[in-house]
Every structure is written in C-alpha cells, then in structure tokens.
C-alpha cells in the first residue's frame, strides 16, 4: 500500500511538472461589462470593436472570455447588477464609485479596476451676469445629472467649499436633469435652467453655440487633471481572475494608445459605434483637447475621497488612493 501511495504521488508530481494538472483555478469564461453613453467611454468602444481584451488574454496564456457588452443607465442600476452577480464590470464617475466602495466595505466589497481617463467638466451659464460662483442668485438653477451625490454635484460642493467655506452654499440651486435635456433647455433660453455642470461633448456643444460661457472648470477645482469615469468590480471577482483583470487593463492601455495616435479614426469609430449624429470634427477636437487624457491610471482620486470623508459621505478616507484600485495599475504624481 505504501509503495502504491508513493507511486501515485510520483505520478501527480510528474503531471504537475508537465502542466497537465493546473495549480490554479481556471479564469472566468465570460466577462459582462456595462457602460453608459458618451465620449468618456471611448476606450471601451475601441477595445470592443478591435477585440483587444481577447488578444491580451491569449497573450497571457488564458482562453479569451466571451465578452458581453451591456448598456445600463446610472450608478444605482450598475451597483445593483454588480453586487447581485449579474454583472462583472460596472462603470461610473469616480466620486460615486468611492461612495459605493465605502458602503460595501463589510459586504460585497468593490474595487476600481481602471480609470477610463481624465476629462475636465465645465460649469456653463447663459446668464451674462454670472462670472463666478458668487454671482449666482436664488433666481438661477444649475442642472446636474443627480443632485448632491453625483460626480458634478460633488465637484460643485468642492468649489463652494473653497469659495465660501460652505460646501452646500449652492445646493439649493441644483436640479437633477440628464445632460441632453439640460443642454437643450440651457441653449433655448426659455427655461428656469440658467447653468449646467456637464462633460464632453455637451460642454463643447454649449460653448460653441455662443449662447453660454464658462464659469468653472473642474480641473481648476481639483488643482489639476482628475479621473472622470472608472471601471470597477467586486474584490472577489478581481482576486479570482487575476489574468483576466490584467488582460482587460492591457486591452484598455492599447485602446488608449490607439486613440491618441489616431484621433480622426477614433472619432469615426465612435460615431459609427454610437450611431451618433455629432460632427466628426467635434469628436476629433474633443479627443485632441489638452484637458482630455485617455489613461487607465487614476488621477486625483485621493482628493475626492478626502473631501467625501470631510463631508461625512464616507466613514473614513483611504490612507492612499491605491486602496480604491487594483494593485496592478501604474501611478502618477498627485494621484
């Protein structure tokens, strides 16, 4: 019996050495990725159209996962699907993602997988009397996607905190409204909406009309470039699928390099993929904008977390932005 046991052990060892038995559990066979609409999601569109994630999976020696690209609207539906297990990767603004990270610390904890890029958001107005935040009055209304807890309202609170020493000084003027509706109302001049805190391409469209002007740039508020949207997943999924995560981020890095090298082609690809009616020249100008940088490396994440902790929106800020994201990401000064 002892000889037989030694023989079995020897056969197992030989099989492991030959690679016929795997030490590790297989990676996921499917990858369900949800995104929203807009130019901020261009890296995902490029990666999808060109099969970059699948290519990187092969390069890492794993079977390419079957990728399902989904469209969901809003962080709430993203989070519900992610935590229920019906979604693997969610996308949202960095500020809302940090709120979810804090709320799920003791349950189905989530973690950022990658940034989708740094992109300035602009506060515009059609009120000629408003040059700074101090010029807004009770007659003004500032449109935002979601009051108080969305990306733009948190940046507005950061700006109000700096300008007035009172973060909620302008909260009573904010109104929840989708970007397309807010842009239409602001440009019509026949609405209570006199200002709009928005992202590309809406900010560029509004400024190009000549009917509005800029009041605030989010880069000025943060003291430099900052991440706008991010991709995140449950910590369990990230830990269980290390090579899949690596393949995904490598795919995004390749997409970002291609976008920067081919802005005209990237604009055409975006318009075709989104069935967009925007002019190709406008999309290309946004891609080339100095305030737009498609990168997987988070920027300014710690500043958002510190401010949310200051307001009590999260219980405690992380000691470092790295607590919020997958450990394989690079680093830039001031992240």
């Amino acid at each position: 019996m002892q000889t037989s046991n030694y023989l079995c052990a020897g056969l197992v060892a030989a099989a492991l050495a030959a690679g016929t038995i795997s030490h590790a559990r297989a990676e996921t066979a499917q990858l369900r990725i949800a995104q929203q609409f807009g130019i901020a999601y261009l890296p995902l569109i490029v990666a999808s159209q060109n099969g970059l994630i699948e290519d990187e999976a092969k390069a890492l020696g794993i079977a390419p996962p079957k990728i399902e690209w989904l469209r969901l609207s809003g962080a709430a539906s993203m989070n519900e699907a992610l935590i229920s297990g019906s979604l693997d990767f969610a996308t949202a603004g960095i500020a809302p993602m940090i709120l979810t990270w804090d709320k799920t610390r003791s349950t189905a904890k989530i973690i950022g997988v990658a940034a989708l890029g740094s992109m300035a958001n602009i506060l515009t107005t059609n009120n000629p009397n408003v040059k700074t935040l101090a010029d807004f009055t009770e007659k003004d209304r500032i449109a935002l996607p979601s009051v108080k807890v969305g990306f733009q309202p948190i940046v507005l609170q950061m700006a109000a905190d700096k300008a007035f020493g009172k973060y909620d000084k302008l909260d009573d003027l904010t109104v929840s409204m989708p970007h397309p509706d807010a842009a239409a109302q602001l440009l019509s001049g026949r609405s209570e909406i006199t200002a709009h805190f928005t992202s590309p391409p809406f900010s560029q469209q509004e400024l190009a009309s000549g009917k509005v002007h800029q009041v605030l740039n989010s880069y000025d508020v943060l003291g430099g470039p900052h991440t706008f949207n991010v991709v995140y997943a449950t910590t369990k999924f990230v830990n269980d699928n290390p090579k899949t995560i690596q393949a995904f981020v490598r795919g995004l890095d390749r997409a970002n390099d291609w976008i920067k090298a081919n802005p005209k082609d990237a604009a055409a690809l975006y318009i075709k993929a989104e069935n967009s009616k925007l002019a190709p020249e406008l999309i290309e100008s946004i891609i080339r904008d100095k305030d737009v940088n498609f990168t997987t490396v988070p920027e300014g994440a710690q500043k958002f977390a510190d401010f949310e902790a200051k307001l009590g929106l999260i219980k405690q800020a992380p000691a470092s932005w790295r607590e919020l994201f997958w450990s394989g990401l690079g680093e830039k000064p001031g992240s």
Side-chain angles (χ1 to χ4, degrees):
M1 179 67 74
Q2 188 175 23
T3 301
S4 177
N5 287 341
Y6 282 136
L7 179 59
C8 289
L11 290 173
V12 170
L16 285 170
T20 55
I21 296 178
S22 175
H23 287 277
R25 193 169 60 122
E27 301 261 333
T28 182
Q30 67 172 356
L31 191 57
R32 298 159 298 178
I33 305 172
Q35 67 183 78
Q36 301 183 56
F37 295 90
I39 296 172
Y41 298 94
L42 181 56
L44 292 176
I45 294 171
V46 172
S48 171
Q49 294 289 315
N50 296 326
L52 301 182
I53 300 168
E54 294 90 335
D55 283 351
E56 291 301 321
K58 292 176 185 177
L60 288 167
I62 61 172
K66 180 181 179 182
I67 302 178
E68 184 179 3
W69 297 90
L70 305 169
R71 296 282 186 160
L72 294 178
S73 179
S77 56
M78 289 275 187
N79 293 337
E80 182 179 346
L82 186 67
I83 294 171
S84 70
S86 59
L87 183 65
D88 300 312
F89 286 161
T91 54
I94 177 112
M97 186 278 281
I98 294 172
L99 296 178
T100 306
W101 170 84
D102 181 72
K103 289 179 181 178
T104 62
R105 284 192 193 195
S106 60
T107 54
K109 184 175 180 180
I110 66 101
I111 191 167
V113 173
L116 283 176
S118 297
M119 197 170 286
N121 280 231
I122 307 296
L123 175 60
T124 64
T125 183
N126 61 11
N127 185 342
N129 298 318
V130 175
K131 307 297 183 184
T132 69
L133 294 183
D135 298 324
F136 282 112
T137 71
E138 66 278 358
K139 295 181 180 179
D140 290 294
R141 290 295 178 269
I142 304 170
L144 306 163
S146 59
V147 299
K148 295 187 178 181
V149 296
F151 176 86
Q152 289 86 3
I154 287 178
V155 175
L156 184 61
Q157 289 180 335
M158 295 172 82
D161 193 52
K162 283 186 175 182
F164 311 112
K166 187 179 180 183
Y167 75 90
D168 58 353
K169 173 78 172 178
L170 301 173
D171 281 6
D172 289 343
L173 304 183
T174 60
V175 177
S176 293
M177 188 174 295
H179 285 312
D181 296 342
Q185 293 201 27
L186 182 70
L187 293 176
S188 75
R190 300 187 297 273
S191 164
E192 67 168 358
I193 302 301
T194 59
H196 183 199
F197 205 167
T198 187
S199 58
F202 304 103
S203 52
Q204 285 84 351
Q205 287 178 295
E206 291 172 6
L207 293 172
S209 72
K211 298 179 180 180
V212 306
H213 61 273
Q214 175 179 307
V215 178
L216 190 73
N217 181 310
S218 62
Y219 278 12
D220 294 334
V221 179
L222 272 290
H226 60 73
T227 294
F228 178 28
N229 289 325
V230 297
V231 181
Y232 56 102
T234 63
T235 303
K236 183 180 186 306
F237 184 84
V238 171
N239 291 339
D240 287 348
N241 300 280
K243 287 191 175 182
T244 301
I245 301 301
Q246 192 176 4
F248 176 76
V249 175
R250 284 186 180 184
L252 285 188
D253 284 333
R254 283 180 58 190
N256 292 334
D257 289 342
W258 184 83
I259 291 168
K260 293 172 184 176
N262 305 278
K264 185 174 183 178
D265 291 340
L269 186 150
Y270 172 82
I271 288 174
K272 182 178 180 180
E274 296 290 278
N275 194 26
S276 173
K277 309 225 180 267
L278 295 174
E281 295 78 14
L282 174 63
I283 302 301
E284 184 180 349
S285 70
I286 294 171
I287 294 171
R288 293 180 179 273
D289 193 308
K290 64 180 178 61
D291 286 343
V292 172
N293 179 30
F294 293 105
T295 174
T296 58
V297 181
E299 295 186 276
Q302 189 67 41
K303 295 177 182 178
F304 284 106
D306 289 343
F307 184 75
E308 290 179 359
K310 175 182 176 180
L311 266 57
L313 295 175
I314 63 176
K315 294 178 182 177
Q316 184 178 356
S320 165
W321 69 271
R322 287 196 169 278
E323 292 183 35
L324 300 168
F325 286 90
W326 173 61
S327 61
L329 293 177
E331 184 169 3
K332 288 185 179 180
S335 294

